[in-house]
Structures are given as C-alpha cells and as structure tokens.
Amino acid sequence: MLIKIFTAMKDDLRKTLEVLREKVKQNLEIIHGNEADVRKLLKDEPVSSMRSDKLSIKFNINKKMLEENHESINLQLSIIKFMEKVQPVTVSEPVENEDPNYCFELTVTGNMAYNEKHPYFNDDAFFCRLMDYYMAKEDYEKCANLQNTRKTKV
C-alpha cells in the first residue's frame, strides 16, 4: 500500500514538474514577443511619453514573467531534489493477496526483492514472465541473477 502511495505521489510530482515547465515555456514566448514589440516601438515610433508608457508596460510584463519563471524554476529544483532524496521502501516481507501484475511491476521496478519471501517465488509462470521481461530488455545479468536466486532455493 505504501508503495502505491509513493508511486502516485511521484507521478503527481512529475505532472507538477511538467506543468511548471510548460508555464515557463509560455512565459518565455510572451517575453520574446514583448521584446520584438519593444524593438518595433523603438524603431518605428518617435520619442514620446506615449511610447515610453508602451515600453514601460512591456518591460513590467517581462519583469513579472521573469520573476515568475525564477520562482517556478526554484520550485522545480526543490521538487527534483525531493524526488531524488525520497526513495521507496523496498518490500522485503511477503505481500499477501496481491495481484500478480502488481507484484510484477514492483519486482521489475526494484521495489520488491525477488527472493524466497516473494509471494510468487515458487510460481514458474511468474518466473518465466520475469525472464522474458529481462531478456526483451537484453538485461542478461538480471536473468542470470534470477536463475541463481531460483537455484539457491533448490
């Protein structure tokens, strides 16, 4: 249950990071548009208080967007540091009444050790599924480890 919560939290944090990145990108597009407008104003309009007001508006918008991006980037960095520090607790005790697909996901993500305490350790179909998964990934070292783990049991 704890791993499900951790996984959901991590997914939510990734989504938050993506939203923050998208917002920074949108702000940068606005900033670049405003910069183009400023260049056009400086080139096309004569010096006047009206031009100064227009420039001031564009500069203030850009200043606000840059501050927002700064805060967003700092928040992203904090989230990333948090995600790097907080690691899921590896399941070492048997998980009772768990779906084989759920246990498979926990096993291949490294959140559940495949050993004699694993709920599907003696299940040949589960073992074959693990082997197929790692062979498809060409992770032959993991395949050898799985075989050795099963051999030591016998």
Side-chain angles (χ1 to χ4, degrees):
M1 182 66 173
L2 182 61
I3 292 176
K4 284 183 183 179
I5 293 169
F6 178 81
T7 303
M9 177 187 70
K10 215 166 185 183
D11 289 343
D12 289 344
L13 290 172
R14 282 189 196 105
K15 289 174 188 172
T16 301
L17 285 172
E18 189 55 40
V19 169
L20 290 168
R21 284 185 194 115
E22 189 59 36
K23 184 62 178 165
V24 167
K25 183 179 172 185
Q26 289 171 357
N27 286 353
L28 287 174
E29 289 172 4
I30 292 169
I31 290 167
H32 293 302
N34 285 343
E35 288 173 346
D37 292 346
V38 164
R39 282 190 295 277
K40 188 173 187 313
L41 283 170
L42 290 171
K43 179 182 170 192
D44 296 344
E45 290 192 22
V47 176
S48 68
S49 63
M50 183 183 270
R51 182 180 95 161
S52 295
D53 290 343
K54 288 179 184 178
L55 290 172
S56 180
I57 289 169
K58 295 293 182 182
F59 288 134
N60 286 334
I61 290 171
N62 281 3
K63 182 180 177 185
K64 181 181 178 232
M65 296 284 176
L66 288 169
E67 288 171 357
E68 188 176 313
N69 281 1
H70 179 74
E71 292 298 320
S72 179
I73 290 168
N74 283 338
L75 181 56
Q76 289 177 56
L77 290 172
S78 295
I79 290 171
I80 290 168
K81 285 179 185 176
F82 173 78
M83 289 173 65
E84 288 172 351
K85 281 184 183 178
V86 178
Q87 296 298 323
V89 177
T90 301
V91 177
S92 59
E93 296 301 316
V95 179
E96 296 179 23
N97 300 323
E98 285 296 341
D99 174 44
N101 292 326
Y102 177 66
C103 287
F104 180 82
E105 287 301 316
L106 290 176
T107 305
V108 298
T109 58
N111 293 318
M112 180 184 285
Y114 188 75
N115 56 30
E116 58 280 343
K117 293 180 181 178
H118 192 281
Y120 293 96
F121 185 74
N122 294 315
D123 186 322
D124 291 333
F126 188 89
F127 177 76
C128 289
R129 185 175 170 199
L130 280 175
M131 291 294 290
D132 289 343
Y133 174 83
Y134 289 114
M135 282 191 280
K137 290 184 68 169
E138 298 182 3
D139 189 346
Y140 303 116
E141 184 178 333
K142 189 68 174 175
C143 291
N145 289 340
L146 287 172
Q147 288 177 330
N148 289 336
T149 301
R150 287 282 293 244
K151 283 180 187 176
T152 58
K153 176 230 168 211
V154 178

